[in-house]
Amino acid sequence: MRNLNKVLIIPYLLWMVFFIIIPVILLVYFSFTDVKGHFSFTNYEQVFSLKYLKMMWDSIFYAALITIVTLIISYPAAYFIRTSKNQNLWLLILIIPTWINLLLKTYAFIGILSHEGMINKFLNFLHIPSANMLFTPGAFLLVASYIYIPFMILPIFNSMKAIPNNLLQASSDLGANPFTTFRKVIMPLTKEGVMTGIQVTFIPALSLFMITRLIAGNKVINIGTSIEEQFLVIQNYGMGSTIAIVLIVFMAFILIITKSKSTDGRG
């Protein structure tokens, strides 16, 4: 059995080496090179300049907003699914949109929010002036939150589903009303699910670039947009690699913070 386990882990190790370890090593290498390929610390001096620090702050700000919006929507939704008799149906409705390609969903929102889109056509039907919704930070926040809602709901729902029903019944038998049971029992026991939802929402939201281009135009510039520009437009691979390394380190920092908090919550 041990020999079989060693054989089965080989594909995973190869995947880790070729698609994670080697790319990260290449990023570190190129981050210490300038435009001409010479060794330099210039990229790190630039990435900690006021320009890039502001961009980092904007990325954190919008990622936090997206996470907060999805959490506000997802927690009650997860609780509703947990208490519903048709859990499988609601989960299916929740999961089906994740099967659709992200680019297709983004273009669908362009058709909804554009000047000639469905919302403005409805407003014109009501003799209300058209609204400029596309290429705004609000549109970016709306679309990004919609995309990440399933990833926030599922871990919260799983943590709620893991709560034994007899524990909730015991709370009721001891005289606690539904609100007290929710606040004293359900919320503490779903803290780990919330932390997981924050991880899988906040971290990817830091590096969004396709939605920022198609939905927000140039109104939202974040780290992902900057990396795309450095690699594909300016072709400054050293600077793009440096920004990517900073992003990876910050993501690891967020993972450590959220993991430590969830661990403390269990203790």
Side-chain angles (χ1 to χ4, degrees), residues 70 73-79 81 91 94 148-160 193 197 200-201:
T70 54
I73 296 173
S74 299
Y75 202 97
Y79 183 75
I81 297 174
L91 287 174
L94 174 68
Y148 285 114
I149 279 176
F151 303 100
M152 179 69 80
I153 290 180
L154 288 176
I156 296 176
F157 167 76
N158 289 332
S159 63
M160 287 184 178
V200 299
T201 301

Side-chain angles (χ1 to χ4, degrees), residues 197-228:
I198 290 174
Q199 288 180 358
V200 299
T201 301
F202 181 80
I203 293 176
L206 282 171
S207 56
L208 286 172
F209 68 91
M210 183 177 66
I211 298 176
T212 58
R213 292 293 192 193
L214 298 177
I215 299 296
N218 291 322
K219 300 296 178 63
V220 176
I221 303 295
N222 62 1
I223 299 176
T225 307
S226 179
I227 294 174
E228 179 204 20

Side-chain angles (χ1 to χ4, degrees), residues 12 18 20 39 83 97 134 198 204 233 238 242 245 248:
Y12 173 73
F18 285 104
I20 298 178
F39 179 83
T83 57
L134 197 61
I198 290 174
V233 180
T242 306
I245 289 295
I248 291 172

Side-chain angles (χ1 to χ4, degrees), residues 105-147:
K105 289 189 285 189
T106 305
Y107 275 111
F109 270 100
I110 292 176
I112 295 173
L113 301 174
S114 65
H115 188 73
E116 301 296 331
M118 294 175 57
I119 294 179
N120 277 323
K121 286 183 178 179
F122 180 73
L123 293 177
N124 292 333
F125 176 77
L126 298 176
H127 302 287
I128 300 175
S130 300
N132 294 322
M133 293 173 287
L134 197 61
F135 305 136
T136 62
F140 167 71
L141 182 62
L142 171 67
V143 176
S145 299
Y146 163 78
I147 290 172

Side-chain angles (χ1 to χ4, degrees), residues 82 155-168 189-190:
R82 165 68 173 79
I156 296 176
F157 167 76
N158 289 332
S159 63
M160 287 184 178
K161 191 175 181 181
I163 301 175
N165 287 326
N166 57 6
L167 191 62
L168 303 179
L189 293 178
T190 55

